[in-house]
Amino acid sequence: MIKAAIIGITGYTGEELLRILSKHPGVKLTMLAGRQTSPERLLADIYPKYKDLNIKCEPLNIEKIKENADVVFLALPHAVAFEVVPKLLKAGKKVIDLSADFRLKDSDTYEKWYKVNHTGKDYIKDAVYGLSELYCDKIKPAKLIANPGCYPTTILLGIAPAVKNGFITNGDIIIDSKSGISGAGRKAVEKYFKEEHPNTRAYNIAGKHRHIPEIEQEISNLFGQKTIVTFTPHVIPVERGMLSVIYANLNKKITTSEAIEIYKNFYKGKNFVKVLDENVLPNINKVVNTNFCEIGLSVDARTNRLVIVSAIDNLVKGASGQAVQNMNIMFGLNEETGLKEII
């Protein structure tokens, strides 16, 4: 039985981790913690639906976590993990960090986009980017997982087969993404419902969103050369769910059915990615509360572009579900354990 701790239980991703791990047949939750200033509370006082789960939410105590956990999930704001990760790794613990703190391989890039000093530079090289379907072999022996962002997850899963099979060009990639409001956190959700629901709007346009360097880093790795993308995110009036539409120029003649066949072969055996048949497109309702990513494709022969549509639940496959999938890989479990039926 894997002993697991969650640090940062009060946010959306912490709650999702609790929801999944409390039902996971191979996991025993041994410690739940808030941040350093959080008082000890009964879990039922935070989430009444877990009144039968006999565990408290405690102040952050690294020494106690060291004694009681094999794996530690960090569901903390950006820049908070810098202090926690080194102590846990030195104690021999496996760490899955859901923030952006170790995703970017260049600390200067991190500091530019996140506007804080990166004090964990020495551990960047040890962090494995935890996109489960693409980097399973690297995840298996890893001690530190940098769990991907939600937008990058839906985009990278959508574009990877086309890049790796060489039928799109490295240039003029345009990405239009729409996210449920939970992606911005609880305070943003409260503000949205109070001030603007059911509004839909674009935000952080023209290269201002902090996920851009992560998206470009990973697509560049797939191409083997530097990539720059145009990325426009939107908020839509649903709590959760994410849909990305990616436009990429083709470099050879290919039909929609041929592209779909290539994608299905690429994700063969990867049971959390569903490549849909021709003329069938993903929608958020099909993936909400699941760890699945649905992908639909269409070749626009008129413009010579591939149009990719990818949908996930931003809190599950885009965050906590993928984190648990990575844990399963790290501990030699079937990737689907505890994730197949989590609604």
Side-chain angles (χ1 to χ4, degrees):
M1 190 69 71
I2 301 166
K3 295 184 292 183
I6 304 171
I7 303 178
I9 195 65
T10 57
Y12 274 120
T13 54
E15 183 181 3
E16 284 297 301
L17 283 167
L18 178 60
R19 180 171 78 98
I20 298 167
L21 292 173
S22 64
K23 299 177 182 178
H24 193 294
V27 168
K28 180 180 180 181
L29 280 170
T30 53
M31 189 166 182
L32 306 177
R35 298 174 67 181
Q36 288 176 326
T37 57
S38 300
E40 182 174 304
R41 288 186 285 175
L42 292 173
L43 183 59
D45 292 338
I46 306 170
Y47 302 119
K49 62 185 175 183
Y50 294 112
K51 62 181 183 297
D52 295 330
L53 199 61
N54 186 27
I55 188 169
K56 295 178 181 178
C57 179
E58 306 178 41
L60 178 54
N61 184 324
I62 296 297
E63 294 305 315
K64 191 169 182 179
I65 291 171
K66 288 179 185 179
E67 296 172 3
N68 290 283
D70 303 312
V71 61
V72 183
F73 293 87
L74 303 181
L76 296 167
H78 306 309
V80 179
F82 296 149
E83 182 181 349
V84 177
V85 166
K87 295 175 182 177
L88 293 172
L89 292 179
K90 287 175 183 177
K93 306 303 173 184
K94 294 180 185 290
V95 180
I96 301 174
D97 179 24
L98 280 76
S99 79
D101 289 352
F102 296 95
R103 294 175 192 159
L104 299 178
K105 291 304 182 182
D106 182 81
S107 59
D108 290 341
T109 302
Y110 177 93
E111 291 174 352
K112 174 185 174 182
W113 287 84
Y114 288 87
K115 311 300 183 188
V116 294
N117 183 35
H118 198 304
T119 60
K121 294 181 176 70
D122 292 344
Y123 295 89
I124 292 175
K125 65 181 184 304
D126 300 320
V128 172
Y129 190 72
L131 193 60
S132 307
E133 282 72 21
L134 299 190
Y135 302 120
C136 181
D137 290 343
K138 293 182 179 179
I139 292 167
K140 284 179 182 177
K143 302 296 184 183
L144 172 60
I145 296 296
N147 213 61
C150 48
Y151 281 124
T153 294
T154 186
I155 292 161
L156 296 169
L157 290 176
I159 203 169
V163 176
K164 298 299 284 184
N165 283 277
F167 60 88
I168 61 171
T169 63
N170 182 11
D172 296 324
I173 296 171
I174 298 171
I175 304 162
D176 181 283
S177 295
K178 296 174 174 62
S179 175
I181 53 178
S182 57
R186 291 195 190 278
K187 290 182 179 178
V189 170
E190 291 172 5
K191 183 177 180 182
Y192 175 87
F193 276 111
K194 183 178 180 180
E195 298 180 3
E196 59 179 307
H197 181 75
N199 192 28
T200 295
R201 56 177 166 80
Y203 68 102
N204 288 343
I205 68 170
K208 295 183 178 69
H209 196 281
R210 292 189 298 185
H211 279 169
I212 287 174
E214 182 182 343
I215 294 164
E216 291 182 343
Q217 170 184 279
E218 294 305 316
I219 297 180
S220 296
N221 289 341
L222 293 170
F223 270 116
Q225 55 185 288
K226 185 173 176 58
T227 299
I228 295 175
V229 303
T230 297
F231 173 61
T232 302
H234 303 74
V235 170
I236 57 175
V238 297
E239 181 181 6
R240 57 201 296 161
M242 176 172 286
L243 188 140
S244 291
V245 183
I246 306 159
Y247 306 88
N249 293 328
L250 293 165
N251 58 21
K252 65 180 181 181
K253 292 285 186 181
I254 190 169
T255 65
T256 298
S257 61
E258 289 170 339
I260 289 171
E261 187 64 24
I262 289 170
Y263 267 63
K264 287 186 175 182
N265 286 333
F266 187 90
Y267 286 121
K268 188 175 182 180
K270 304 297 184 181
N271 295 331
F272 284 121
V273 178
K274 296 181 178 180
V275 180
L276 305 180
D277 293 334
E278 192 166 355
N279 298 318
V280 182
L281 294 176
N283 66 73
I284 287 173
N285 286 344
K286 292 286 184 67
V287 295
V288 163
N289 288 311
T290 80
N291 197 53
F292 289 102
C293 173
E294 286 194 351
I295 298 172
L297 303 169
S298 184
V299 169
D300 185 344
R302 188 179 64 86
T303 60
N304 196 41
R305 288 196 183 102
L306 177 68
V307 182
I308 307 159
V309 183
S310 177
I312 63 171
D313 185 316
N314 56 295
L315 294 177
V316 188
K317 185 60 174 170
S320 303
Q322 183 151 245
V324 174
Q325 187 177 354
N326 284 325
M327 180 204 72
N328 287 339
I329 295 169
M330 295 168 82
F331 284 88
L333 301 179
N334 186 300
E335 287 184 43
E336 299 176 71
T337 306
L339 289 166
K340 200 70 181 294
E341 297 177 358
I342 57 175
I343 295 177

